[in-house]
Amino acid sequence: MSNNNNRNKEKKEKKEKDISSTSTSTTTSKNDPNGERLGFDEPKSDLDAYRLENKHVHNVYNVISSHFDSTRYKAWPLVENYLNSITCGSIGVDVGCGNGKYLNVNKGNIYTIGSDICQSFSTICNEKGLEALSADGLYLPYQTDTFDYAISIAVIHHFSTFERRVEALKEIVRVLKPGGTFLVTAWAMSQKWKGKNYDSSDVMVPWLFQSKFKVEEEKKLKEKEEEEEISKSGTTYQQFHRYYHLFCDGEFESLFEKIQNVDILSNNLDHDNYYCIIKKK
Amino acid sequence: MACTKKQCVGRGFPLKLEANEIAQLSQPFNYEFVKNIFPKLDWNGIQLVAKQLNVVLPEQGSVEDEEFVKTLFNLLCNLKVINGSLTCPSCNRVYPIEVGIPNMLLKEEEIYQDIQRMADKEKEAQEEESDEEEDSDEEMEE
């Protein structure tokens, strides 16, 4: 069946789902004593969802990217092992590659092309000599049935509706060759390892931004209303809120159920992240 | 690379490359990599890109030919377009390449106009379907 057909069908189902999803996840708390969450309006349409993600994911990362980069240098062994198991001469994609810490794994043997919707991340990757371009995960600039493998690490939880999460996975599966595999991870709602607990699946997670990472351009940021200044042990921070949809047990299964041509190879929890490896039929 | 627009899936390829500024990188040569990647390449696409980057490739290549393998490796891994553009052969959308990064992002208006257009098409198709059966497959085909 063609991609268009699938998409159109999804659209039809969408209205019904929109209603059900709002009724199950409206428990976003407005005032959290720990400052962990900030109330936000549930997206009512795809455009609203796009705008929420733009404001609370893309724009935030565009500002905090260099600070984020300085804190995210260790590769996660789960992802490293997966990439090291890929055959020499394979080409793959890293969708939502962030600062590109996985683009270099198994370098010389496999070729991973990164993409991120945040242009400041593709710039960071480029400065490190890594191959990355700016692209929306829902609209990948690749042909169907092209890549041997794909990864998308801690990205899918930034899509704010069920339909958009399905579409994002579908888009990656589309560019994968039949027989190709794909590793996807997302934050879990229960974070025992980190000792955190979230009681709602849709949350705003703060990022304390150290002003020293500010560059001229970022100072001009329009979204001033979201910033709060906080002082902690002598350093001034700006607080930004990033949107997350935290995953529950069985959630990857229900997403992949909507995609016909995949088999789930493994599905588990590792360090407060759900991960799933699938194979395209 | 292919066009990101949904209506171009299956048609918007290969994007037409225009290179204004090219950088020469120096990644270490890996024969195994070229040997394994060679059968997977879209040879027509590679030829087009090679022409744009002034790289001379034979009509047909062989991984036994050392000179060819080196040229191909250089093309694939060591030539980077710093400034230029990519144009969709189907819808003519131009994607700029600046400081070495292709910008494949669509604007909000583009995304939602396309979604609207596809919804309209679907509506039309449904109406047609109710008139005469099995005749509206054409625009869905990719």
Side-chain angles (χ1 to χ4, degrees):
Chain A
M1 194 182 280
S2 76
N3 219 12
N4 262 348
N5 252 339
N6 275 336
R7 271 184 87 78
N8 290 337
K9 273 205 182 135
E10 282 295 314
K11 293 272 144 58
K12 265 184 252 164
E13 289 165 27
K14 195 173 170 170
K15 271 188 194 144
E16 298 150 35
K17 264 188 236 140
D18 265 349
I19 299 158
S20 64
S21 71
T22 36
S23 63
T24 52
S25 54
T26 41
T27 48
T28 42
S29 42
K30 296 270 187 259
N31 290 306
D32 187 270
N34 306 319
E36 281 287 302
R37 285 186 293 278
L38 183 82
F40 62 95
D41 294 327
E42 202 68 41
K44 302 227 164 19
S45 66
D46 194 64
L47 180 59
D48 282 354
Y50 171 85
R51 287 184 173 156
L52 169 78
E53 291 159 20
N54 206 25
K55 185 172 178 183
H56 281 290
V57 182
H58 317 159
N59 285 348
V60 174
Y61 280 115
N62 261 331
V63 174
I64 69 170
S65 59
S66 49
H67 183 199
F68 180 90
D69 179 36
S70 73
T71 64
R72 299 288 193 284
Y73 42 83
K74 242 172 120 182
W76 183 5
L78 172 85
V79 184
E80 248 182 349
N81 292 341
Y82 169 77
L83 290 173
N84 282 323
S85 73
I86 308 281
T87 352
C88 179
S90 298
I91 325 171
V93 282
D94 180 354
V95 178
C97 63
N99 64 344
K101 66 174 172 178
Y102 297 114
L103 299 180
N104 250 341
V105 178
N106 205 356
K107 201 190 175 187
N109 290 320
I110 62 172
Y111 193 72
T112 313
I113 302 165
S115 69
D116 208 291
I117 197 164
C118 298
Q119 286 170 275
S120 55
F121 274 137
S122 17
T123 309
I124 287 176
C125 291
N126 230 273
E127 283 163 358
K128 294 179 185 169
L130 304 166
E131 201 55 50
L133 44 92
S134 308
D136 187 332
L138 293 172
Y139 304 91
L140 293 176
Y142 314 118
Q143 261 197 308
T144 306
D145 298 340
T146 304
F147 297 101
D148 302 299
Y149 64 94
I151 59 170
S152 186
I153 309 304
V155 173
I156 196 84
H157 54 220
H158 287 311
F159 287 97
S160 58
T161 66
F162 178 82
E163 295 74 31
R164 288 172 72 82
R165 288 187 285 277
V166 171
E167 287 303 318
L169 293 175
K170 230 183 226 177
E171 181 66 352
I172 298 174
V173 171
R174 176 183 73 81
V175 302
L176 211 58
K177 269 183 197 163
T181 61
F182 163 35
L183 167 67
V184 56
T185 80
W187 277 20
M189 191 160 144
S190 114
Q191 304 220 333
K192 290 188 187 118
W193 187 68
K194 278 191 209 133
K196 273 187 194 166
N197 224 345
Y198 296 99
D199 53 10
S200 161
S201 57
D202 292 279
V203 295
M204 288 290 179
V205 178
W207 177 274
L208 293 179
F209 178 63
Q210 278 186 43
S211 313
K212 67 170 178 185
F213 289 101
K214 227 183 218 180
V215 295
E216 265 324 295
E217 240 176 282
E218 288 159 0
K219 286 182 188 154
K220 293 179 211 146
L221 187 80
K222 285 172 199 153
E223 317 274 325
K224 287 275 188 248
E225 70 223 67
E226 289 304 326
E227 298 178 16
E228 296 158 43
E229 286 215 338
I230 288 177
S231 257
K232 245 189 199 176
S233 43
T235 319
T236 314
Y237 293 97
Q238 267 175 330
Q239 181 156 271
F240 288 95
H241 289 93
R242 291 170 298 159
Y243 167 84
Y244 278 83
H245 170 82
L246 303 171
F247 273 56
C248 301
D249 217 17
E251 199 154 340
F252 268 125
E253 285 99 318
S254 65
L255 290 171
F256 281 114
E257 238 168 57
K258 299 281 169 200
I259 307 173
Q260 262 105 47
N261 50 345
V262 297
D263 284 324
I264 296 179
L265 299 182
S266 62
N267 182 15
N268 223 323
L269 193 63
D270 182 58
H271 293 89
D272 298 340
N273 283 268
Y274 281 103
Y275 72 89
C276 210
I277 300 177
I278 62 104
K279 188 177 194 165
K280 183 172 179 178
K281 283 184 203 164
Chain B
M1 291 216 287
C3 189
T4 57
K5 294 200 161 209
K6 289 291 173 201
Q7 70 267 29
C8 290
V9 167
R11 276 182 280 174
F13 181 85
L15 296 181
K16 194 175 163 280
L17 172 70
E18 203 150 304
N20 301 324
E21 196 190 333
I22 303 162
Q24 174 77 45
L25 313 176
S26 51
Q27 318 252 28
F29 179 70
N30 182 340
Y31 175 74
E32 190 78 1
F33 177 81
V34 183
K35 199 184 97 185
N36 288 342
I37 213 170
F38 180 64
K40 299 177 191 170
L41 296 172
D42 174 72
W43 194 240
N44 279 335
I46 292 288
Q47 290 275 18
L48 279 173
V49 170
K51 216 175 266 173
Q52 280 296 318
L53 300 181
N54 295 320
V55 172
V56 184
L57 282 179
E59 291 259 320
Q60 295 283 314
S62 150
V63 286
E64 307 301 320
D65 177 355
E66 197 182 324
E67 198 58 30
F68 169 74
V69 171
K70 284 204 167 140
T71 312
L72 187 59
F73 179 80
N74 190 45
L75 176 67
L76 294 177
C77 301
N78 279 334
L79 288 180
K80 191 174 170 71
V81 177
I82 301 298
N83 190 290
S85 65
L86 294 157
T87 306
C88 173
S90 172
C91 73
N92 291 322
R93 167 70 151 89
V94 179
Y95 298 93
I97 305 176
E98 279 158 10
V99 281
I101 307 165
N103 183 356
M104 310 305 290
L105 294 171
L106 297 173
K107 295 200 169 67
E108 183 184 301
E109 307 88 78
E110 290 178 282
I111 295 174
Y112 288 95
Q113 271 166 14
D114 288 350
I115 286 180
Q116 190 55 46
R117 209 172 293 142
M118 277 170 66
D120 291 347
K121 261 193 183 177
E122 186 198 8
K123 225 179 176 182
E124 261 172 48
Q126 270 176 355
E127 281 164 10
E128 268 173 43
E129 235 169 66
S130 55
D131 289 348
E132 41 184 306
E133 281 178 19
E134 294 273 320
D135 210 8
S136 59
D137 270 353
E138 212 178 74
E139 65 197 4
M140 295 295 189
E141 209 119 75
E142 276 162 34

